[in-house]
Amino acid sequence: MNDKQEIILDRFTQLCKAHGLKITPQRMAVYNALKTSKEHPSADKIHKQLVCDFPSISLDTVNRTLITFARIQIIDVVEGQGEPRRFDPNREDHHHFYCLSCNKIIDFHDPDLGQIQLPKEITCTFTITGKRLCLTGYCDHCSHQAPARAADITK
Amino acid sequence: MNDKQEIILDRFTQLCKAHGLKITPQRMAVYNALKTSKEHPSADKIHKQLVCDFPSISLDTVNRTLITFARIQIIDVVEGQGEPRRFDPNREDHHHFYCLSCNKIIDFHDPDLGQIQLPKEITCTFTITGKRLCLTGYCDHCSHQAPARAADITK
DNA sequence: TTGACAAATAAGTATTAATCCTATTTAATA
DNA sequence: TATTAAATAGGATTAATACTTATTTGTCAA
Ligand SMILES: [Mn+2]
Ligand SMILES: [Mn+2]
Ligand SMILES: [Zn+2]
Ligand SMILES: [Zn+2]
């Protein structure tokens, strides 16, 4: 285990205690796998990755654990398009680009976009808990393969 | 059939011909049901609605038809959170508010937001086909019921 | 350090959404 | 009206997620 992982797991221990969750090897593994991910993995992807080192871990536990983490707000769930639910280790304010071809979800940041003013009829009527710009299109890799393709929702 | 529906179906006939699609009663029914909807229904919801007047229509046909319509870009698919895929009759530029409690998706418009400038590293690298602000939170109805509730991804 | 207990897990089952398969029907065209 | 390719219904399949329950395990107090 490297330094970065150790810091992540120390923080994890604090968070669990603060929320009355038991610290189990399964939870540590799931937390570590998601937080060191540079992507937006599904429960199944995390499970497949963990099974090598932790053969007995079940998919249900991975999924349930991720949902628990989202509930106590130490990770996020991202908007998709009907595909498997995906999770986001990054809780900073940021925006998403969705590649319609390879299904990658790519983060981007923009200080200007943080300033976005919402119309009053929205802010007064609803309780807003999240605000994000969602772009769709084709990533650099996929645009090269198939330029000017129409959106194909079934991949 | 009222005037509005007649106009919708005239337009539909044109669109089908333009894309080489046969005009079937099933397609007319699905198109009409979606385009007169004020919501963002799932295939199952549209199917349940149609079955009263059209008992033999199958869910597969409804789903396939909606996907066909999305492919020729006469309707849209909306971003969800792993829940069933939902469709949007409204092809104007607009934004979405997602109620985390009742799963309603509510449209809003904002001229200022149309002007949003994206960072160069995004526009230069990727092919952007869609741009939308996605808000999450609790709608007026749900905020009253359960104020200050934490996000509960499993409803 | 141990024992008691509530919480968490694994594994199997159930449910739900989406898709596939194929025999039959139907819209479009001449 | 006959031909033909496209579309449909309905059943089967797959994939993701949630539920159920017996067993295991982390926590905490003695
Ligand atoms: Mn992200
Ligand atoms: Mn909409
Ligand atoms: Zn891509
Ligand atoms: Zn609501």
Side-chain angles (χ1 to χ4, degrees):
Chain A
M1 182 180 313
N2 63 33
D3 280 3
K4 188 180 175 197
Q5 286 185 329
E6 204 150 342
I7 292 169
I8 289 177
L9 291 180
D10 278 356
R11 173 102 186 97
F12 171 68
T13 304
Q14 293 171 5
L15 289 166
C16 280
K17 288 189 176 155
H19 289 91
L21 297 182
K22 291 184 178 173
I23 296 158
T24 67
Q26 289 89 341
R27 283 180 173 160
M28 282 175 41
V30 170
Y31 186 80
N32 187 53
L34 183 66
K35 282 293 181 179
T36 55
S37 169
K38 299 285 173 230
E39 314 203 345
H40 297 80
S42 63
D44 186 60
K45 198 156 188 195
I46 297 271
H47 180 247
K48 280 193 171 64
Q49 181 189 327
L50 293 181
V51 152
C52 309
D53 292 328
F54 201 148
S56 72
I57 198 168
S58 73
L59 174 58
D60 186 50
T61 294
V62 172
N63 192 51
R64 189 168 19 79
T65 299
L66 288 165
I67 291 173
T68 302
F69 291 164
R71 180 170 50 78
I72 65 170
Q73 308 195 38
I74 66 179
I75 69 168
D76 281 314
V77 181
V78 296
E79 322 75 26
Q81 309 234 13
E83 76 239 353
R85 179 190 287 146
R86 288 165 70 174
F87 298 89
D88 195 337
N90 182 2
R91 301 212 68 236
E92 291 168 42
D93 255 337
H94 68 282
H95 307 281
H96 281 157
F97 170 85
Y98 294 80
C99 178
L100 298 171
S101 174
C102 68
N103 282 340
K104 275 211 185 78
I105 300 171
I106 295 162
D107 288 347
F108 69 98
H109 292 260
D110 189 347
D112 298 349
L113 297 179
Q115 321 287 316
I116 292 173
Q117 285 304 309
L118 301 176
K120 269 206 210 69
E121 69 265 26
I122 293 296
T123 51
C124 294
T125 319
F126 305 137
T127 309
I128 311 282
T129 61
K131 176 168 80 167
R132 164 173 289 156
L133 198 62
C134 293
L135 306 180
T136 51
Y138 298 94
C139 75
D140 46 351
H141 188 246
C142 295
S143 325
H144 293 151
Q145 294 186 316
R149 159 205 339 222
D152 176 358
I153 70 165
T154 57
K155 256 184 308 276
Chain B
M1 178 177 318
N2 62 33
D3 280 3
K4 189 179 174 197
Q5 286 186 329
E6 204 150 343
I7 292 169
I8 288 176
L9 291 180
D10 278 357
R11 174 103 186 95
F12 173 67
T13 304
Q14 294 170 5
L15 288 166
C16 279
K17 287 189 175 156
H19 289 91
L21 297 182
K22 291 184 179 172
I23 296 159
T24 66
Q26 290 89 341
R27 282 180 175 159
M28 282 175 42
V30 170
Y31 186 80
N32 187 53
L34 183 66
K35 283 292 179 179
T36 55
S37 169
K38 299 286 172 230
E39 313 204 344
H40 297 79
S42 63
D44 186 60
K45 197 154 189 197
I46 296 270
H47 179 248
K48 280 194 170 65
Q49 181 190 326
L50 293 180
V51 152
C52 308
D53 293 328
F54 201 148
S56 73
I57 198 168
S58 73
L59 173 58
D60 186 49
T61 294
V62 172
N63 191 50
R64 190 168 17 78
T65 299
L66 288 165
I67 291 173
T68 302
F69 291 164
R71 181 170 49 77
I72 65 171
Q73 309 195 39
I74 66 179
I75 68 169
D76 280 314
V77 181
V78 297
E79 322 75 27
Q81 308 234 15
E83 76 239 355
R85 179 192 288 147
R86 288 165 69 174
F87 297 90
D88 195 338
N90 181 1
R91 299 212 70 236
E92 291 168 43
D93 253 337
H94 68 282
H95 307 281
H96 281 158
F97 171 84
Y98 294 80
C99 178
L100 298 171
S101 174
C102 67
N103 283 339
K104 274 210 186 78
I105 301 171
I106 295 161
D107 287 347
F108 69 97
H109 292 259
D110 188 346
D112 297 349
L113 297 179
Q115 321 287 314
I116 292 172
Q117 284 305 309
L118 301 175
K120 268 208 211 69
E121 69 266 26
I122 293 295
T123 52
C124 293
T125 320
F126 305 138
T127 309
I128 312 282
T129 61
K131 177 169 79 168
R132 164 174 288 156
L133 198 62
C134 294
L135 307 180
T136 51
Y138 298 96
C139 75
D140 46 351
H141 187 244
C142 295
S143 321
H144 294 151
Q145 293 186 315
R149 161 206 334 225
D152 177 357
I153 70 167
T154 58
K155 260 184 305 276

